[in-house]
Amino acid sequence: MGSPSKPSSLAVRTLHYYWQATRRHKALFFGLIAATIGFCGLLTYGNPYVMSLVVDRVSAGSVPADQVFSVFGPYIAALIVINVLGQTCSKLQDYTLWKLEIAVNYDLATMAFDALCNQSMSFHSNRFGGTLVAQTSKFMSAYNQLIENIQFPFLPIICSIVFTCTLLLPVVPAYVAILMVLLVGYAAISYLMYKRILHLNEKAASAQNQLSGELSDAVTNILAVKTYGREDYEKGVFDQANREVVERDSIRMKSSLARGIITAAVTVVIMGVVTVFISGGNAWFGITPGTLVMMFTYTVTITNQFNFINTGLQRFNRAFGDASGLTGVLDEPRLVADVPNARPLKVARGAIDFEDIGFWYADGEVKTQVFNGFNLRIPAGQRIGLVGMSGAGKTTLTKLLLRLADIQEGRILVDGQNVSDVTQQSLRRQIAYVPQESLLFHRSIAENIAYGRPGATREEVREAAAQANALEFIERLPDGFDTLVGERGIKLSGGQRQRIAIARAMLADAPILVLDEATSALDSESEALVQQALSRLMEGRTAIVVAHRLSTVASLDRIVLLADGAVAEDGPHARLIERDGDYARLWSRQTGAYLE
């Protein structure tokens, strides 16, 4: 990650992303602006203008009762037309605003989802899932705040300035000049104070995101919280984050109130000057009563609207602060990205080659070397076991094959095709991955099994479940294949979840299989059922099995012992035992070891 962006830079970047989504719906956006201008101009300025003409006519002399409609008829008609058109603009304003927010929020949600789904695992490993969800929600809500803020008060303020100058400048230019000078001063003070507190809103939003992350972390791991009796500790962690939110919000509140007091004082000065000018307008300049009414009405209107500058800027502050979290995420470079014009991977046999692999993890300035000049060839259809001490690079090797992280040196080939040159989706669709902790969605069992092949029929799903030794327990459930498994499959046991994951891999029918400690967390009975299912799954496929328990890989075609990111021993189980090296010593240490 780069250095944090300045608040102003983040605001510009946020507007960039918002405009990317808005420009797809330009008709609605410009329709909203036109409707707002029409509404403001007609109802706020058209009505007082016509009424000033009526006042001037009344001031010119009394009108006989039988001539009221003939004299004032045009004014009455003008007011009716103005109000009909103004109310029409008002309803168009509501319609275009709602339609625009609905359409753009869809695009923003898609933008955020794509960005999060296409980021690397390193990115997600360093962030709270709950924080990312909260940031996405705030990013979408902030757009609504911004667009509504443009609709009111800022667009009406601009309209007020334009209409006031247009209608009054030809009649009382000196008054308009004085009013504009005062309002420019007001706006300048508001903007300067706005810039001073912009960073406070981002800090407040950051505190809110941290609070959401802490809550999500505790709820996600609620079983650990309860079984270790750590409710009080987690409450303390949450309370600390909550107090940070209160502190940041309090600082923001005090700064906003101080700004409001200063601008309110400026408003009082403006109204004082304007009142003196209007009071002496007729005596000093011979201004007509109707024009004086129009001047006062317009001045009160424009001053009241300028009063909302504080509220509007505060909303801008809050919106940009709320959006800053996801803006930073959208600005993050893709650590793993498809090359331009990447082609789909086509696997005919499933041979895998790791050639001169160099890979290291970088944490700031610190680099942790995992592989340096690593080489390994896996012929098509061969089943190999990856074993070794923790930290030897077993799981990292499978992640590099799946391109969950990118190598810095060398290349990885699948059937002679460099995985860096093909699309990530096509690569991963050719590899069935079964991890130690099965990855289930809070959906039905059938949907979870069919995840790797969404178009599968119910009969195909059932057959995959049978092959994975899962059919018996599924049919015992009240809703069978339609049973919802709960978040992360919490309603099922570990062995049941793993068999669902294996059924998914079977249905995906990929030519390459990666098993990462797929049985290490199971009891003996569950392990036996899962091992049977895995044996069926590995038939006719290139299989890479990561394991700590050597008994789970002893029957495979080949075993590769990794040590310090290099191949220490390589061969079938029997040959490695005969060699009496590190593998043989590991085997002898594991009590209850057996070879099926």
Side-chain angles (χ1 to χ4, degrees):
M1 293 177 60
S3 58
S5 300
K6 294 180 180 179
S8 57
S9 174
L10 272 173
V12 171
R13 295 298 300 157
T14 299
L15 290 174
H16 165 73
Y17 291 119
Y18 284 162
W19 177 244
Q20 277 189 328
T22 303
R23 68 183 180 184
R24 298 190 184 99
H25 312 283
K26 289 180 183 176
L28 289 172
F29 178 71
F30 290 114
L32 174 62
I33 292 176
T36 302
I37 293 173
F39 169 75
C40 180
L42 290 166
L43 297 185
T44 309
Y45 287 87
N47 280 333
Y49 178 75
V50 174
M51 287 306 301
S52 72
L53 298 178
V54 172
V55 171
D56 279 343
R57 180 63 188 83
V58 170
S59 301
S62 60
V63 177
D66 60 343
Q67 297 180 21
V68 168
F69 286 104
S70 61
V71 171
F72 294 103
Y75 303 127
I76 296 172
L79 284 172
I80 292 173
V81 171
I82 285 172
N83 280 274
V84 168
L85 292 177
Q87 292 301 331
T88 301
C89 286
S90 172
K91 301 313 159 196
L92 282 174
Q93 186 184 40
D94 294 340
Y95 172 78
T96 51
L97 176 64
W98 281 348
K99 286 287 289 184
L100 182 65
E101 287 181 347
I102 291 169
V104 172
N105 271 298
Y106 173 85
D107 290 339
L108 292 176
T110 302
M111 181 190 299
F113 185 84
D114 287 345
L116 294 174
C117 278
N118 289 299
Q119 269 294 0
S120 67
M121 289 305 298
S122 298
F123 169 90
H124 287 284
S125 298
N126 292 314
R127 286 165 174 81
F128 284 126
T131 296
L132 293 174
V133 172
Q135 287 174 339
T136 300
S137 177
K138 287 182 178 181
F139 186 73
M140 295 165 61
S141 297
Y143 176 83
N144 294 348
Q145 292 180 49
L146 284 175
I147 205 70
E148 289 169 12
N149 218 26
I150 291 171
Q151 178 200 4
F152 182 83
F154 287 101
L155 195 53
I157 287 173
I158 294 171
C159 291
S160 296
I161 294 171
V162 172
F163 289 129
T164 298
C165 290
T166 301
L167 296 172
L168 292 182
L169 192 59
V171 183
V172 279
Y175 169 76
V176 173
I178 293 172
L179 179 62
M180 289 302 116
V181 169
L182 292 172
L183 291 177
V184 167
Y186 181 100
I189 292 171
S190 295
Y191 178 71
L192 290 174
M193 298 191 70
Y194 159 77
K195 288 193 69 175
R196 289 183 60 186
I197 69 168
L198 180 59
H199 69 285
L200 298 179
N201 290 279
E202 290 180 3
K203 288 182 178 179
S206 177
Q208 284 282 0
N209 290 334
Q210 182 67 23
L211 182 68
S212 299
E214 296 291 356
L215 177 60
S216 173
D217 203 31
V219 172
T220 301
N221 296 287
I222 192 64
L223 182 61
V225 174
K226 288 187 171 295
T227 53
Y228 282 89
R230 299 286 277 174
E231 290 91 345
D232 289 343
Y233 172 79
E234 291 300 330
K235 181 181 179 181
V237 172
F238 181 80
D239 187 63
Q240 183 177 352
N242 207 4
R243 288 181 184 277
E244 182 71 13
V245 170
V246 171
E247 181 181 351
R248 296 293 183 186
D249 280 342
S250 297
I251 294 173
R252 178 169 61 177
M253 176 196 68
K254 291 174 183 177
S255 298
S256 296
L257 286 175
R259 182 184 63 187
I261 291 171
I262 293 172
T263 52
V266 175
T267 302
V268 172
V269 172
I270 292 173
M271 286 306 300
V273 172
V274 168
T275 302
V276 170
F277 195 97
I278 291 176
S279 298
N282 183 262
W284 299 334
F285 306 106
I287 300 173
T288 65
T291 301
L292 288 175
V293 170
M294 186 167 60
M295 288 168 59
F296 182 77
T297 303
Y298 288 175
T299 302
V300 170
T301 299
I302 199 171
T303 305
N304 285 339
Q305 286 178 343
F306 264 74
N307 275 335
F308 288 110
I309 283 182
N310 285 326
T311 303
L313 290 177
Q314 185 175 342
R315 288 176 184 167
F316 271 142
N317 274 337
R318 186 181 293 273
F320 283 127
D322 286 349
S324 62
L326 195 73
T327 297
V329 170
L330 293 172
D331 282 343
E332 282 272 346
R334 300 274 177 88
L335 298 180
V336 180
D338 288 342
V339 297
N341 302 315
R343 63 184 186 276
L345 175 68
K346 297 180 180 179
V347 179
R349 300 173 63 249
I352 303 170
D353 292 283
F354 296 89
E355 297 183 350
D356 296 320
I357 301 300
F359 176 74
W360 56 83
Y361 291 107
D363 186 3
E365 299 297 321
V366 179
K367 292 199 310 184
T368 303
Q369 189 82 39
V370 182
F371 296 112
N372 185 15
F374 178 87
N375 288 278
L376 180 65
R377 174 169 175 73
I378 306 172
Q382 188 175 74
R383 304 170 304 155
I384 78 161
L386 291 182
V387 299
M389 302 297 289
S390 295
K394 304 183 297 297
T395 295
T396 300
L397 198 64
T398 63
K399 289 182 177 179
L400 295 178
L401 173 62
L402 286 157
R403 279 199 77 196
L404 299 177
D406 263 344
I407 56 176
Q408 288 88 6
E409 297 171 352
R411 59 181 189 162
I412 301 173
L413 306 177
V414 175
D415 278 353
Q417 302 161 84
N418 193 330
V419 299
S420 296
D421 296 334
V422 301
T423 63
Q424 295 176 63
Q425 283 197 7
S426 68
L427 168 67
R428 292 163 190 161
R429 285 172 181 170
Q430 300 295 328
I431 302 173
Y433 177 65
V434 182
Q436 176 179 356
E437 183 181 353
S438 53
L439 309 173
L440 301 187
F441 295 89
H442 182 31
R443 302 170 188 171
S444 71
I445 288 176
E447 287 176 288
N448 273 287
I449 293 176
Y451 194 74
R453 183 146 65 96
T457 65
R458 180 57 67 93
E459 188 55 38
E460 289 173 326
V461 170
R462 193 175 187 281
E463 177 61 25
Q467 290 291 313
N469 288 338
L471 184 60
E472 183 181 353
F473 86 79
I474 292 174
E475 290 185 334
R476 287 202 305 266
L477 296 172
D479 296 320
F481 281 93
D482 295 320
T483 301
L484 295 177
V485 301
E487 188 176 9
R488 297 187 178 185
I490 191 68
K491 293 182 180 179
L492 304 179
S493 70
Q496 290 172 338
R497 289 196 297 270
Q498 205 67 332
R499 280 177 275 166
I500 295 296
I502 293 169
R504 176 194 293 169
M506 285 181 164
L507 192 59
D509 196 25
I512 299 172
L513 176 65
V514 174
L515 306 175
D516 190 356
E517 297 285 358
T519 64
S520 63
L522 305 180
D523 60 79
S524 298
E525 184 176 351
S526 295
E527 182 182 7
L529 291 170
V530 170
Q531 285 284 22
Q532 290 174 8
L534 290 176
S535 296
R536 298 191 192 104
L537 179 58
M538 284 188 281
E539 289 176 5
R541 293 180 172 87
T542 304
I544 300 175
V545 183
V546 176
H548 278 106
R549 285 191 291 190
L550 303 185
S551 59
T552 62
V553 298
S555 62
L556 300 181
D557 304 324
R558 174 183 170 200
I559 296 169
V560 175
L561 174 67
L562 297 182
D564 298 324
V567 176
E569 297 182 34
D570 186 353
H573 169 77
R575 188 191 304 166
L576 295 182
I577 293 295
E578 290 174 5
R579 187 178 296 171
D580 196 27
D582 290 338
Y583 178 82
R585 282 190 287 276
L586 284 174
W587 177 264
S588 65
R589 287 187 199 142
Q590 293 191 3
T591 57
Y594 60 92
L595 175 59
E596 293 180 351

